[in-house]
Amino acid sequence: SKDRSQQSATNIANAAVAKAPPGPPPPPPVFVSFRNGLFVETEDKAYSFKVGGRIIVDGGGIALPLNGFDNQVGGRQLRLEVEGRAAGIYFYKLQYDFAGTAQVTGNNQVLSGIRDAYFGFQSPLFTLPFAKDPAYVMVGSMFEPFSLEAINSSKYRDFIERSLAVDTFQPDRHIGLAAGAYGDDWSFKGGIFSTSFGDASQNPARGYPATWGIPRLYIP
């Protein structure tokens, strides 16, 4: 009968499915966003990867009594960066700036090239009873922990430039080793630093960068 034929076909199909070798499990779902570049993250947030950057252009003009109107427009920043996390405890970032000072004179000594380039480790082994998350260790090129305004990204500054006091004394990014921790309303970070990829001189003279807190040894 028709019902028996349909039932027989169903049984054959079920038997074929049951005898099929089990395949590999499906990959875990990932979250993908294009809101601020390309951002990919696993469901458990243990792994993430982001490709982004920024283009900042500014310019101005001035009327000169003898020479007429003069103006200049230039690229302040042209940066490409990748950053992310791995295995829930490692984090990394690499940022390259294609814009820099064309003529290095006086204090104008910022070269194009590597900006942030660090690798970090934040493990439950570094858990502190008074911190929100475990403490972390970083190595590479990073901002020295000096002033919140100095380390704040240019994407979130209120003005084009930082304040004169901060620009005068801030050490900016340097290659080094640092460790820190943070809570809901506090943070702590300290480290040892050397030269910078952004400096015009990769082998600066003694006393540069600033040697605050480092005693000098005088030998008669």
Side-chain angles (χ1 to χ4, degrees), residues 7-89:
Q7 183 66 34
S8 177
T10 301
N11 292 337
I12 293 174
N14 291 338
V17 171
K19 293 179 181 179
V30 297
F31 172 78
V32 180
S33 172
F34 295 95
R35 183 175 180 181
N36 293 309
L38 171 62
F39 177 71
V40 181
E41 185 178 49
T42 58
E43 185 180 23
D44 59 3
K45 301 184 183 299
Y47 293 85
S48 67
F49 179 78
K50 178 184 177 183
V51 180
R54 75 194 72 163
I55 299 176
I56 299 179
V57 178
D58 67 80
I62 184 172
L64 302 174
L66 300 179
N67 299 324
F69 182 78
D70 190 16
N71 66 90
Q72 182 177 1
V73 177
R76 177 177 291 268
Q77 294 180 8
L78 177 56
R79 298 186 180 182
L80 179 66
E81 61 188 24
V82 294
E83 60 182 317
R85 298 186 66 89
I89 58 175

Side-chain angles (χ1 to χ4, degrees), residues 147-215:
S147 161
L148 291 178
E149 184 180 358
I151 65 176
N152 192 30
S153 172
S154 58
K155 296 185 293 185
Y156 309 115
R157 292 202 300 257
D158 296 326
F159 303 99
I160 294 178
E161 300 283 359
R162 294 180 173 92
S163 65
L164 179 60
V166 172
D167 263 345
T168 301
F169 296 106
Q170 67 155 325
D172 207 77
R173 293 180 178 89
H174 284 85
I175 302 171
L177 174 68
Y182 55 86
D184 291 326
D185 53 4
W186 63 272
S187 64
F188 171 82
K189 185 178 180 180
I192 302 174
F193 299 90
S194 181
T195 56
S196 170
F197 289 116
D199 290 338
S201 174
Q202 298 296 318
N203 188 22
R206 180 179 179 182
Y208 182 86
T211 54
W212 300 330
I214 301 178

